[in-house]
């Protein structure tokens, strides 16, 4: 890891995961030893989906386990869990307090020894460097990769003395706390916006007596609806640079209404066969994970798995909240044996209440500042995340030292 010219600071050592953990093991199988059950049992079972979907403890599945297995596989403060299989391989979770929960065998649990601070190690586990290592050691198919514990434990890292580990973890945790606070604020703001929409418009159903100036129409009366496009074969157009290429996975990777991060690009030659949308535009997924609205925070091309809205008589904020409100019933009208697909006409002819112009104007005055604040917070999150991610490897290599630990 270090070259002769890249000497570690005094007291730092090169090591591997294997040398700083006291245990590394998988959990209980879901068939016999920790099945998910409907009734409340007082014991939860943590699964990969709980990590990937960032579920709260109270939303984890209930399970029944034998006492001996509960004692062996209970989640305790400092446990680090890493998904070892599936398309979310490498997703991770830090246990911050003792929990009445065991964990599934799709996960590997690490417990550190006295050489390492678990918060320090978890910051490394969360890093892009560690994720690249996990992806490099995964084997199997692209849809069902797997990871062996002994290979995972071969991961190399530098660690300073314990007190400096704790100081580094504290610095990075400060970034994470700020990011988490902004995310929580955004969730509250979006829930507020949804509540306002339901109070103003969602309480009226087709057939109800409507306020003066309101009427029944279709979503097609509110907005022009089009689908994106894809150059074919798409593999010939994927590139490291060019125009951003929005995929459904880019949208599902964030719980924000705004999409900032888009992994793939297409060549400039593909532009004439797709649709380029601008930052601020609204899109709606029509396949894989259908009925999911998102605002674009960056310019991007959209394929035919997305609907977009070139012109509307209502605001994008109104459409966004409307799509969220009708999503359950909208998806039920989709078709497809494997993936539900929403045809453009399903959305175009979907009946809805159309408020008066005054109601829409008054609503926008109230709702737009909420989404402006969400966007502002989201930009701060992006800045903080990039700063933290740039700082982390330098702290982990000793290139930047925490105050009080400099040479």
């Amino acid at each position: 890891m270090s070259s002769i010219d890249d000497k570690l600071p005094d007291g730092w050592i090169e090591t591997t995961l294997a040398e700083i953990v006291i245990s590394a093991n998988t959990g209980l199988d879901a068939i016999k030893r920790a099945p998910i059950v409907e009734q409340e049992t007082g014991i939860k079972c943590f699964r990969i989906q709980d990590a990937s979907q960032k579920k709260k403890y109270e939303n984890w599945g209930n399970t029944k386990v034998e006492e001996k297995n509960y004692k062996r596989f209970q989640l305790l403060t400092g446990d680090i869990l890493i998904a070892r299989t599936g398309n979310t391989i490498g997703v991770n979770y830090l246990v911050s307090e003792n929990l009445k929960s065991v964990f599934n065998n799709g996960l590997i649990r690490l417990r550190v020894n006295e050489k390492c601070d678990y918060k320090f190690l978890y910051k490394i586990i969360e890093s892009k460097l560690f994720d690249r290592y996990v992806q490099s050691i995964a084997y199997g198919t692209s849809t069902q990769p797997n990871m062996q514990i002994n290979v995972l434990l071969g991961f190399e890292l530098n660690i300073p003395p314990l007190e400096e580990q704790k100081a580094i973890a504290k610095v990075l945790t400060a970034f994470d706390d700020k990011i988490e606070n902004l995310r929580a604020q955004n969730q509250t703001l979006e829930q507020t916006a949804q509540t306002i929409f339901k109070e103003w418009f969602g309480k009226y159903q087709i057939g109800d007596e409507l306020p003066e100036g309101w009427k029944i129409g279709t979503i097609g009366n509110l907005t022009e609806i089009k689908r994106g496009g894809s150059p074919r074969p798409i593999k010939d157009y994927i590139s490291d640079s060019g125009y951003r290429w929005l995929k459904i996975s880019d949208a599902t990777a964030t719980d924000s209404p705004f999409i900032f991060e888009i992994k793939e690009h297409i060549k400039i030659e593909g532009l004439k066969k797709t649709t380029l949308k601008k930052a601020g535009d609204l899109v709606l997924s029509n396949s894989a994970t259908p009925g999911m609205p998102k605002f674009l925070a960056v310019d991007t091309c959209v394929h035919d798995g997305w609907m977009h809205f070139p012109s509307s008589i209502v605001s994008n904020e109104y459409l966004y909240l409307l799509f969220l409100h009708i999503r359950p019933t909208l998806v039920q009208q989709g078709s497809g044996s494997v993936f539900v697909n929403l045809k453009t006409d399903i959305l175009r002819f979907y009946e809805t209440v159309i408020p008066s112009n005054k109601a829409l104007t008054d609503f926008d005055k109230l709702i737009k500042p909420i989404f402006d604040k969400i966007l502002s917070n989201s930009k701060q999150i992006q800045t903080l995340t990039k700063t933290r991610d740039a700082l982390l490897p330098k702290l982990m290599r000793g290139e930047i030292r925490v105050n009080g630990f400099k040479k």
Side-chain angles (χ1 to χ4, degrees), residues 244-256 258-265 292 294 296 300-301 303 306:
R244 294 183 186 90
W245 182 244
L246 180 65
K247 300 180 72 173
I248 302 296
S249 57
D250 296 315
T252 56
T254 177
D255 56 5
S256 170
F258 296 91
I259 297 178
F260 286 85
E261 299 291 334
I262 296 175
K263 292 182 178 180
E264 293 190 353
H265 295 76
M292 176 176 51
K294 290 287 183 180
L296 301 177
T300 182
C301 294
H303 57 62
W306 292 100

Side-chain angles (χ1 to χ4, degrees), residues 394-406:
K394 294 181 179 181
L395 284 168
M396 297 304 177
R397 290 193 297 264
E399 293 178 12
I400 296 177
R401 306 293 297 280
V402 178
N403 288 338
F405 294 94
K406 296 180 180 179

Side-chain angles (χ1 to χ4, degrees), residues 8-19:
L8 289 173
D10 291 342
W12 288 54
I13 61 170
E14 291 183 338
T15 188
T16 64
L17 271 183
E19 295 172 330

Side-chain angles (χ1 to χ4, degrees), residues 17 82-84 89-90 108 129-140 145-156:
L17 271 183
I82 304 169
R84 67 177 183 86
I89 189 170
I108 296 170
L129 174 66
F130 184 78
D131 183 64
R132 286 194 293 269
Y133 179 76
V134 168
Q135 303 308 321
S136 72
I137 64 173
Y139 67 96
N146 291 281
M147 177 170 60
Q148 294 180 340
I149 293 179
N150 65 321
V151 182
L152 175 70
L153 295 179
F155 177 73
E156 297 178 326

Side-chain angles (χ1 to χ4, degrees), residues 1 10 98 108 118 253 280 299 309 323 327 337 370 373 378:
M1 282 169 50
D10 291 342
N98 294 348
I108 296 170
Y118 68 85
D299 298 350
F309 313 96
F323 292 153
R327 186 180 183 188
S337 57
I370 294 177
K373 180 60 176 174
S378 298

Side-chain angles (χ1 to χ4, degrees), residues 136-247:
S136 72
I137 64 173
Y139 67 96
T141 65
S142 59
T143 56
Q144 192 62 31
N146 291 281
M147 177 170 60
Q148 294 180 340
I149 293 179
N150 65 321
V151 182
L152 175 70
L153 295 179
F155 177 73
E156 297 178 326
L157 68 161
N158 302 324
I159 62 170
L162 193 59
E163 289 305 310
E164 189 167 358
Q165 291 179 41
K166 293 178 180 179
I168 290 172
K170 186 175 181 180
V171 169
L172 296 171
T173 299
F175 279 91
D176 292 337
D177 289 346
K178 178 63 174 176
I179 291 168
E180 190 55 41
N181 287 338
L182 289 167
R183 283 178 175 157
Q185 189 178 130
N186 277 356
Q187 289 176 356
T188 300
L189 288 167
E190 186 172 2
Q191 288 169 3
T192 299
Q194 291 181 36
T195 299
I196 293 171
F197 181 89
K198 290 175 184 178
E199 286 296 318
W200 281 48
F201 310 117
K203 60 185 178 182
Y204 295 107
Q205 305 296 320
I206 306 299
D208 289 350
E209 183 178 350
L210 301 176
E212 184 178 352
W214 295 39
K215 62 184 179 181
I216 300 298
T218 66
I219 291 178
N221 297 137
L222 298 175
T223 184
E224 180 184 7
I225 304 168
K226 290 189 175 183
R227 290 180 67 178
S230 301
R232 308 286 186 187
I234 185 58
K235 63 181 179 62
D236 291 346
Y237 292 88
I238 296 297
S239 173
D240 293 332
S241 60
Y243 291 99
R244 294 183 186 90
W245 182 244
L246 180 65
K247 300 180 72 173

